[in-house]
Amino acid sequence: MDEQVEKAVQIAWSPTSDQDLKAQAFDFLNQLRSDPSGGQVCLTLFTAFPKREEIVRHFALDMVGNSIQNEQLDAQSLGYVKNSLMEYIRRTYGGFGGEGGVDSANIQNKLTQTITYLFASLYATGWEEFFGDFLGLVSAAGSSGGNVAGAALYLRVLSSVHDEIADVLVPRPQTQQKRNMQLKDLVRERDVRRVVSSWQEILSQWRENDAVVEMCLKVIGRWASWIDISLVVNNVLLNLLFQLVGRTGVRGATDKVRDAAIDTLTEIAGKKMKPPDKIELILFLNLGNVIAQLVTSPALHELRSTSSYDTDLAEAVGKLVNNVVADTVKALDTESIDEGTRQRADELLRVFLPYLLRFFSDEYDEICSTAIPSLTDILTFFRKEVKSKGSLAQRYAAMLSPILNAVIIKMKYDETSSWGNEDEKTDEAEFQELRKRLQQLQQAIAAVDEPLYMDVVGNIVANTFSGFNQQNPHMDWRDIDLALHEMFLFGELAVKAGGLYSKGQPTGPAAATLVGMMHKMVDSGIASFSHPAIQLQYMEICVRYASFFESQPQHIPQVLETFVRFVHHNHIRVKARSWYLFHRFVKHLRAQLGNVAQTVIETISDLLLIRAELPKERADDEDMSSDESDHSEESIFNSQLYLFEAVGCISSTSSILVEKQVLYGRLVMNPLFVDMEKHINLAKGGDERAQLQIHHDIMALGTLARGFSDWSPGGTSPNQAPPPPEAVSEEFKRGAEATLVALESLRSSQNVRLAARSAFSRFVGVLGARILPQLPRWIDGLLSQSSTKDEMATFLRMLDQVVYGFKTEIYNILDSLLTPLLQRVFAGLAEETSGTDDEIQLAELQREYLNFLLVILNNDLGSVLVSEVNQNGFASLITIVEHFAQDISDLQTSKLAFGVLHKMSTTWGGPDIITPPTTQQTSTNIKVNSNNATALVPTPPSLPGFDRYMIERFSPVGWRILSNPSLNPKEDAQARTVVWEVASLQKTIYAKTGAAFIEHLRGVYFPNVNIPQGPAEEYLQALQTLDSKAFRQFFQVSIFSSLLIPLTDILWVGYALTDVLEQGFVQRTRG
């Protein structure tokens, strides 16, 4: 049998095996896993001498481990496995030079794992001498110095035992947690002293064997978290540990043993215990002196600024300092500690803070990061102190200034960094991420002592600008960048009250400080500094604090001139970003800019020339880097569009005469018209670059229009901008006409349709109602035969806004275009879907179709749906809505469709002929009097015959979806909302039709679908007597408990037939 297993493993893992044979081998091995005797066979295969192939032995040992872990073996079998493996281990690792030598690291790991499974199963009963057996390997015969292989295996086993029963990071089921607690208790009771003693012996005996010592140290660090700390904190073991911590190796070389010893000390010091005990432990370990010696050691002091700096050691010591400080702060934050403990903790914090700031200030960010958690803890503690006591004790307040200075210095680019270097993009991103973490520390300091923060940052900024005036242009760009960055961050404090100014005055001391900084920045002329990082930062600050220029308009010309200069920058990163920032600046200050449009247009006219470039071809497996994406042809053009919007903002300020506004618009649009005319024939011939050029021109026209007008039709905000002057609208009508001509010529181009749709949404704001006569042409171009469902859905969303914004003017236009519009939409709805993306787009189109109907109905335009022009399509429109309403696969669309049916009922069903009941009925078990609902004199519906339509068409739709077995409102929130919509529709139909609806349900519908008389009458009584809220509750509970049981089979036959009919209708609409 073992030979069969061996052969199967060899076949299964051989890359040259026949695939059919390999499949048979895997099937055989998988069957073996479920066979209780499989572990026995594999045990023999693993322990056999001479040793088999490694893959065979690995599989065999894995099988043995699985059989133990899955509890396939009884106690006797477990004992046999234990004895067999221990015999193998003594023979191989006993120090007698076993056959073939010790196993590979891979096999040792698997062997250790299997032994650990045996430990978990037998240590309580059956293998009480587990640790003794392995400890015997350490001093086994073979050499006077001990058995290195046995010691290494023993330490591997100890590490694995910890991982199995004490690793708190691994989630485990409750039964395993309970078992592990029992095993840890047994280890503490039986063997922990012997184990700790073995560590001391190993560290003493093998101090020259770094590999064994390092393993032992890691085991101590792990076990220290769950054994009695007094066993570890003894003079013998600590002396050995401190010797390793302080040992000096080769100058500049990494000492893994020393680093492991520091990590072990960190684990010991980090053991969870009560705050007073933790403070005593830190003091007993004398960690202050230990860290002082490490910090002043050559590896961390003399070599700090050299290439031989030991960063691994620095990171290890940094973690130790961080843990000590964190535990100290935790003790100080405990109200119940005694005064003596508090004083000792205060002293520890005083001693360790300089060490913490030393590692926080390290030039290597990974070392700096080790100190951030405990620095955050300190500041959080200080903030609590201020909140509870009103102020910070002097001993703590003295710590804030060095912390803040360290944080600010760390914000600075280091001497080796360079901005904008393409080879250092990753380093730049990591530094900016670090800055975000440092910003949180600064905010915490400001929350504790705002005046200190304002004073320090204010001095840094003032000194930098003063130094610039004296040293320009020889000042280090990093110092200027730091000052500007601090200014940028200062706004978090300065504008937290809601803005920089209130009633013409700064909103507070911080705002006043920032205003002073802004004056100094602009007056210093620092924008003339040649480094691109400074120029970019300058623009970012001006945009962020644009409200400063509203109150200080005298600075605007100078800053605007600077922006115009920077938009021509030769650094692509600065230039592209400056286009966006320039747009933001002028848009915010358009009311204060004055008549500068012509000057600006003439200055940046060269940047308004559009030169479309096709994207560079890439191999299928070649990814675009983030930097390439930022500077790609598409990204550059998108940034260029901000210039067109900025020009629109500048050209349409209130201080400019309307005639001038028209002139400026024409100055920008005419070159675009010429360019479109130049490329239109090439584009019609299929030239891709020409088509992209037309796309860019159309996008520019639309973006220019958005800059000219912030007005939105139908807007109700008191801050709504006024519509543009008529002359400006007439000028932009030329732009809309040019766009339509291009669209009509190139409607097959998705790129052109995309640009035209974007331009349409922006022309609406500048043309107003003038765009309505063009709507048929826009629809014809944007909803072409090649338009995707996503394009249709997006355009319907835009039409929603047009209908809402021009509801008083749009009726005649909507009346004429509705039928062709819906025919295009129906064709899109009828298309077959292929793939998940297509299904998502179809669902979106369905919802936008329904939303479009709701917008028409909600804006009192419902009569257009049944006008003489459109009435022939009304039945089709209703059928589609009904189809969506009963579609169980998309409950979101179903809910929306029922909303449409409900709105139609309230719109065309006439006035209510049933008043709501005067008393709410809350229990379906109480018999109610039908007189609670008052019947009025029947009146005809607003749409003749619609009352029968609601009764005979709308009502059954709700029953069909309710009878779907897949609808589960108890567990599905979306299904529950659909049920509520159905209930509301039923209640509305009754309110509109009264007794006619009741008699139809009682005499026609319920008998046809075999509803028993009792449940039917209960439902009719609730429908007539309960108010809407109570009826909805009744509906959700009672409908699914009794009423629908006989409905399911009958209604779903009807639903299937209806579905087939509707599918036929959809096919006809497609034709």
Side-chain angles (χ1 to χ4, degrees):
M1 182 67 174
D2 54 345
E3 292 180 356
Q4 288 180 286
V5 175
E6 182 177 9
K7 189 66 175 175
V9 173
Q10 291 171 340
I11 293 172
W13 270 270
S14 172
T16 60
S17 297
D18 177 76
Q19 292 301 315
D20 291 337
L21 196 59
K22 182 176 286 194
Q24 293 178 30
F26 274 117
D27 288 341
F28 171 75
L29 296 175
N30 287 332
Q31 292 174 9
L32 188 66
R33 285 186 181 276
S34 58
D35 187 346
S37 64
Q40 175 67 45
V41 174
C42 290
L43 179 64
T44 304
L45 200 58
F46 173 75
T47 57
F49 278 95
K51 296 178 181 179
R52 308 299 170 90
E53 285 183 47
E54 179 147 331
I55 185 61
V56 174
R57 302 182 72 234
H58 189 279
F59 173 82
L61 201 51
D62 185 60
M63 282 286 297
V64 174
N66 284 337
S67 65
I68 300 169
Q69 189 180 27
N70 297 330
E71 300 180 352
Q72 294 176 340
L73 305 178
D74 56 23
Q76 184 177 358
S77 299
L78 285 171
Y80 177 78
V81 172
K82 180 203 80 169
N83 293 333
S84 299
L85 287 179
M86 283 308 299
E87 180 183 351
Y88 169 82
I89 287 170
R90 291 188 183 99
R91 187 169 55 189
T92 306
Y93 297 90
F96 297 99
E99 298 180 36
V102 298
D103 297 311
S104 66
N106 187 32
I107 294 295
Q108 286 190 53
N109 289 337
K110 181 58 68 174
L111 176 60
T112 302
Q113 183 187 60
T114 306
I115 289 296
T116 304
Y117 293 152
L118 280 172
F119 165 82
S121 300
L122 294 175
Y123 182 67
T125 305
W127 201 355
E128 292 81 355
E129 279 300 311
F130 175 85
F131 292 103
D133 288 347
F134 282 96
L135 191 53
L137 297 174
V138 178
S139 56
S143 68
S144 58
N147 179 13
V148 175
L153 183 65
Y154 168 66
L155 293 171
R156 281 178 182 270
V157 169
L158 290 183
S159 181
S160 182
V161 165
H162 164 83
D163 293 343
E164 178 67 19
I165 69 173
D167 191 342
V168 296
L169 298 179
V170 179
R172 305 181 192 276
Q174 193 66 34
T175 53
Q176 271 195 28
Q177 292 180 32
K178 183 177 179 181
R179 180 208 69 179
N180 292 346
M181 288 294 295
Q182 293 171 345
L183 287 173
K184 285 190 288 186
D185 288 341
L186 282 174
V187 172
R188 294 184 188 110
E189 179 185 341
R190 293 177 183 172
D191 292 301
V192 70
R193 295 181 182 277
R194 176 161 51 168
V195 171
V196 172
S197 178
S198 72
W199 298 338
Q200 297 174 184
E201 294 176 8
I202 290 172
L203 292 179
S204 299
Q205 187 171 356
W206 276 285
R207 66 176 60 197
E208 301 301 324
N209 190 318
D210 283 0
V212 172
V213 171
E214 184 182 358
M215 289 177 67
C216 184
L217 290 169
K218 290 180 179 180
V219 168
I220 296 172
R222 292 182 175 188
W223 278 56
S225 64
W226 58 277
I227 65 175
D228 186 352
I229 195 64
S230 65
L231 297 174
V232 178
V233 183
N234 62 72
N235 290 332
V236 176
L237 191 55
L238 287 181
N239 284 337
L240 292 168
L241 189 58
F242 289 145
Q243 290 174 20
L244 296 172
V245 168
R247 83 175 193 172
T248 55
V250 179
R251 184 178 178 86
T254 298
D255 188 339
K256 291 184 177 181
V257 170
R258 180 193 55 199
D259 293 350
I262 295 171
D263 290 339
T264 302
L265 202 54
T266 302
E267 293 294 334
I268 293 173
K271 182 177 175 63
K272 292 183 179 179
M273 56 182 65
K274 295 178 180 179
D277 297 334
K278 175 56 66 74
I279 297 301
E280 290 300 323
L281 176 63
I282 295 172
L283 292 171
F284 181 80
L285 293 175
N286 198 21
L287 292 180
N289 287 337
V290 172
I291 291 169
Q293 293 176 23
L294 288 169
V295 168
T296 57
S297 67
L300 296 186
H301 182 64
E302 297 174 11
L303 302 178
R304 181 174 178 180
S305 300
T306 71
S307 59
S308 300
Y309 181 45
D310 193 339
T311 55
D312 291 335
L313 174 61
E315 190 171 355
V317 179
K319 290 178 181 178
L320 175 58
V321 173
N322 178 77
N323 287 3
V324 171
V325 173
D327 287 332
T328 302
V329 173
K330 184 177 180 181
L332 288 170
D333 200 24
T334 304
E335 294 182 1
S336 59
I337 64 169
D338 60 272
E339 188 58 31
T341 301
R342 185 175 299 278
Q343 290 178 1
R344 290 191 290 274
D346 276 338
E347 180 61 19
L348 283 175
L349 183 60
R350 185 192 65 80
V351 169
F352 276 89
L353 182 62
Y355 301 138
L356 185 69
L357 295 180
R358 178 260 179 259
F359 291 103
F360 173 78
S361 304
D362 198 283
E363 65 176 297
Y364 289 91
D365 293 344
E366 60 270 23
I367 298 172
C368 165
S369 297
T370 63
I372 291 179
S374 57
L375 262 183
T376 304
D377 291 343
I378 291 173
L379 296 173
T380 302
F381 167 65
F382 287 174
R383 192 170 183 177
K384 288 180 181 179
E385 286 284 293
V386 171
K387 187 174 182 180
S388 62
K389 299 177 181 178
S391 62
L392 198 62
Q394 182 57 38
R395 62 183 183 279
Y396 298 144
M399 299 178 182
L400 279 177
S401 184
I403 293 175
L404 179 57
N405 288 331
V407 172
I408 291 176
I409 292 172
K410 193 61 187 174
M411 284 276 193
K412 182 180 173 181
Y413 280 94
D414 63 47
E415 299 299 323
T416 61
S417 60
S418 58
W419 188 92
N421 191 326
E422 300 299 325
D423 297 330
E424 296 182 7
K425 286 294 180 183
T426 301
D427 292 342
E428 169 75 12
E430 290 175 352
F431 177 63
Q432 294 304 328
E433 193 62 34
L434 176 63
R435 272 185 162 181
K436 292 178 183 178
R437 299 178 69 187
L438 297 174
Q439 178 187 355
Q440 294 174 353
L441 294 176
Q442 283 195 178
Q443 290 173 343
I445 295 170
V448 174
D449 191 341
E450 185 174 306
L452 172 68
Y453 174 70
M454 291 167 47
D455 185 54
V456 171
V457 173
N459 286 337
I460 288 175
V461 173
N463 292 338
T464 301
F465 293 151
S466 174
F468 174 77
N469 290 329
Q470 297 172 13
Q471 301 178 33
N472 180 31
H474 304 293
M475 195 169 183
D476 190 334
W477 70 269
R478 297 171 183 84
D479 293 325
I480 303 176
D481 173 81
L482 175 63
L484 293 178
H485 184 66
E486 288 297 336
M487 269 188 74
F488 188 85
L489 298 182
F490 197 81
E492 298 290 336
L493 177 65
V495 300
K496 68 178 181 180
L500 199 56
Y501 287 94
S502 176
K503 298 180 180 179
Q505 296 297 320
T507 53
T513 300
L514 181 57
V515 168
M517 293 180 187
M518 290 295 294
H519 279 294
K520 291 175 182 177
M521 183 188 77
V522 177
D523 293 338
S524 71
I526 207 164
S528 63
F529 194 78
S530 60
H531 197 281
I534 307 307
Q535 297 165 346
L536 191 56
Q537 190 79 280
Y538 177 89
M539 289 187 287
E540 297 279 4
I541 290 172
C542 289
V543 169
R544 183 170 198 187
Y545 307 126
S547 58
F548 164 80
F549 297 99
E550 290 180 321
S551 296
Q552 308 293 331
Q554 71 273 15
H555 291 303
I556 291 178
Q558 177 185 348
V559 174
L560 185 61
E561 182 181 347
T562 300
F563 269 91
V564 172
R565 178 162 51 89
F566 286 162
V567 296
H568 289 89
H569 206 284
N570 56 8
H571 194 293
I572 186 60
R573 181 174 167 186
V574 176
K575 180 163 69 173
R577 181 66 177 170
S578 71
W579 295 347
Y580 166 74
L581 294 172
F582 175 58
H583 150 257
R584 286 278 310 279
F585 185 75
V586 300
K587 185 170 185 177
H588 189 95
L589 298 172
R590 65 192 304 174
Q592 287 82 24
L593 290 178
N595 192 358
V596 297
Q598 185 165 357
T599 303
V600 171
I601 292 173
E602 291 173 354
T603 305
I604 69 171
S605 59
D606 58 315
L607 299 176
L608 300 179
L609 298 176
I610 294 175
R611 299 182 181 88
E613 296 291 341
L614 293 172
K616 296 176 182 177
E617 294 186 4
R618 297 177 178 275
D620 293 339
D621 58 347
E622 185 181 359
D623 294 329
M624 180 183 288
S625 69
S626 60
D627 184 58
E628 288 176 310
S629 177
D630 290 342
H631 302 156
S632 65
E633 293 83 0
E634 181 182 3
S635 177
I636 294 297
F637 172 68
N638 289 336
S639 296
Q640 188 181 16
L641 288 176
Y642 288 118
L643 291 177
F644 284 92
E645 186 170 353
V647 168
C649 292
I650 294 174
S651 302
S652 57
T653 63
S654 58
S655 61
I656 299 178
L657 296 175
V658 173
E659 295 79 6
K660 288 289 187 179
Q661 293 184 34
V662 172
L663 173 63
Y664 299 149
R666 189 175 300 154
L667 282 175
V668 180
M669 285 193 287
N670 281 347
L672 296 174
F673 296 155
V674 172
D675 193 57
M676 293 172 72
E677 187 176 3
K678 174 182 175 183
H679 289 90
I680 191 72
N681 288 328
L682 287 172
K684 286 161 63 174
D687 187 303
E688 289 187 20
R689 202 202 71 81
Q691 290 180 359
L692 187 61
Q693 186 76 20
I694 297 292
H695 163 275
H696 286 8
D697 289 334
I698 294 173
M699 290 293 292
L701 285 172
T703 307
L704 179 68
R706 182 167 66 179
F708 260 86
S709 175
D710 285 337
W711 177 72
S712 176
T716 58
S717 170
N719 298 322
Q720 165 92 317
E726 290 189 11
V728 172
S729 296
E730 283 296 327
E731 185 64 28
F732 273 94
K733 195 173 179 181
R734 297 172 59 226
E737 180 64 29
T739 301
L740 278 171
V741 170
L743 176 62
E744 289 164 345
S745 301
L746 301 168
R747 71 183 65 190
S748 61
S749 168
Q750 186 174 14
N751 250 347
V752 172
R753 293 197 307 271
L754 172 67
R757 188 171 67 245
S758 173
F760 170 79
S761 67
R762 292 159 181 186
F763 283 139
V764 169
V766 73
L767 294 182
R770 289 175 179 79
I771 203 169
L772 297 182
Q774 297 178 340
L775 270 182
R777 295 173 65 193
W778 284 106
I779 291 172
D780 189 54
L782 293 174
L783 299 184
S784 69
Q785 296 297 323
S786 53
S787 295
T788 65
K789 300 179 186 65
D790 184 56
E791 289 181 74
M792 293 182 186
T794 303
F795 187 66
L796 283 177
R797 268 197 300 274
M798 291 163 49
L799 279 183
D800 291 346
Q801 296 298 317
V802 173
V803 171
Y804 171 75
F806 302 108
K807 54 190 170 188
T808 58
E809 302 108 321
I810 201 173
Y811 183 88
N812 291 333
I813 297 292
L814 189 61
D815 190 38
S816 64
L817 62 81
L818 184 66
T819 293
L821 169 65
L822 293 183
Q823 285 176 346
R824 300 281 180 90
V825 175
F826 291 163
L829 292 171
E831 290 177 0
E832 298 291 335
T833 58
S834 56
T836 303
D837 290 343
D838 211 21
E839 291 174 359
I840 293 173
Q841 289 185 12
L842 176 61
E844 189 65 24
L845 178 58
Q846 292 171 351
R847 288 191 280 273
E848 291 306 327
Y849 163 70
L850 295 170
N851 275 321
F852 181 63
L853 296 181
L854 279 175
V855 168
I856 290 175
L857 293 166
N858 288 333
N859 286 283
D860 300 323
L861 295 168
S863 57
V864 78
L865 299 174
V866 291
S867 69
E868 184 177 351
V869 176
N870 299 307
Q871 61 184 356
N872 290 335
F874 183 67
S876 302
L877 181 151
I878 293 291
T879 305
I880 291 290
V881 176
E882 291 176 340
H883 175 72
F884 293 156
Q886 57 199 18
D887 183 4
I888 194 70
S889 65
D890 186 353
L891 292 176
Q892 185 179 355
T893 300
S894 173
K895 175 182 179 293
L896 198 57
F898 276 111
V900 173
L901 296 178
H902 186 270
K903 185 61 182 178
M904 287 179 172
S905 300
T906 58
T907 301
W908 294 316
D912 291 355
I913 64 173
I914 300 294
T915 60
T918 57
T919 304
Q920 179 175 332
Q921 181 67 31
T922 57
S923 174
T924 59
N925 295 322
I926 299 176
K927 297 300 181 182
V928 293
N929 191 329
S930 62
N931 291 331
N932 285 353
T934 305
L936 304 176
V937 178
T939 57
S942 303
L943 190 64
F946 198 74
D947 51 347
R948 301 308 306 173
Y949 218 87
M950 291 188 292
I951 293 172
E952 297 173 5
R953 290 286 299 268
F954 290 4
S955 177
V957 172
W959 293 105
R960 289 190 195 118
I961 193 169
L962 293 176
S963 62
N964 189 326
S966 301
L967 192 72
N968 185 7
K970 291 183 179 179
E971 298 181 4
D972 188 339
Q974 281 193 332
R976 195 152 50 246
T977 62
V978 170
V979 172
W980 292 345
E981 288 291 339
V982 174
S984 297
L985 180 60
Q986 290 280 303
K987 197 70 177 172
T988 298
I989 295 174
Y990 171 64
K992 300 296 182 184
T993 60
F997 186 40
I998 299 299
E999 292 307 316
H1000 176 80
L1001 292 175
R1002 178 185 285 126
V1004 179
Y1005 188 75
F1006 284 164
N1008 285 346
V1009 294
N1010 295 333
I1011 295 291
Q1013 185 176 1
E1017 288 300 324
E1018 182 184 9
Y1019 172 78
L1020 294 175
Q1021 188 179 48
L1023 179 61
Q1024 296 174 78
T1025 59
L1026 298 182
D1027 68 9
S1028 296
K1029 182 178 180 181
F1031 179 70
R1032 195 168 70 177
Q1033 295 172 344
F1034 162 84
F1035 200 79
Q1036 183 174 333
V1037 175
S1038 299
I1039 288 296
F1040 290 91
S1041 61
S1042 59
L1043 194 61
L1044 287 179
I1045 294 175
L1047 278 172
T1048 304
D1049 295 336
I1050 297 172
L1051 286 186
W1052 274 98
V1053 172
Y1055 176 81
L1057 287 172
T1058 305
D1059 194 37
V1060 170
L1061 290 173
E1062 289 169 357
Q1063 288 295 332
F1065 162 75
V1066 171
Q1067 294 294 335
R1068 289 197 300 277
T1069 60
R1070 185 189 301 175

